[in-house]
């Protein structure tokens, strides 16, 4: 396993740990909940559509844009 692959894997692990419920203030499920509340279906396609909408909306909060970007780049890989 190359150093680059290990470094990338450690970065992903760190990001997922930050989002887990093991810590106080975790963000697990908040993006999905926001997508559902906004009227998007609770499916990967619905969440991806919501992520695109958030990223294109100038009025979206920076925190929600980070979550949308994380969802698009890491979670929904395609």
């Amino acid at each position: 396993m190359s150093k680059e692959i290990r470094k990338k894997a450690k970065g992903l692990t760190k990001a997922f740990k930050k989002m887990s419920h093991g810590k106080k203030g975790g963000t697990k499920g908040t993006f999905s909940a926001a997508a559902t509340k906004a009227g998007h279906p609770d499916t990967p396609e619905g969440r991806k559509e919501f992520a695109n909408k958030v990223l294109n909306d100038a009025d979206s909060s920076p925190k929600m844009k980070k979550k949308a970007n994380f969802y698009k780049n890491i979670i929904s890989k395609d």
Side-chain angles (χ1 to χ4, degrees), residues 22-39:
K23 288 183 173 181
K24 208 172 193 180
T27 60
K28 187 174 185 177
T30 58
F31 184 75
S32 297
T36 304
K37 190 173 182 179

Side-chain angles (χ1 to χ4, degrees), residues 5-71:
I5 294 172
R6 273 187 266 151
K7 187 175 180 179
K8 185 177 180 181
K10 284 183 182 181
L12 289 174
T13 302
K14 187 176 179 183
F16 280 113
K17 279 184 181 178
K18 256 183 148 175
M19 293 177 68
S20 75
H21 278 285
K23 288 183 173 181
K24 208 172 193 180
T27 60
K28 187 174 185 177
T30 58
F31 184 75
S32 297
T36 304
K37 190 173 182 179
H40 294 273
D42 191 18
T43 63
E45 294 80 23
R47 290 187 292 274
K48 191 172 185 181
E49 182 182 325
F50 180 65
N52 289 328
K53 188 175 181 182
V54 167
L55 291 171
N56 292 327
D57 184 9
D59 295 331
S60 292
S61 72
K63 193 170 189 174
M64 187 55 75
K65 285 190 178 204
K66 283 183 181 180
K67 291 177 186 180
N69 196 37
F70 183 82
Y71 183 81

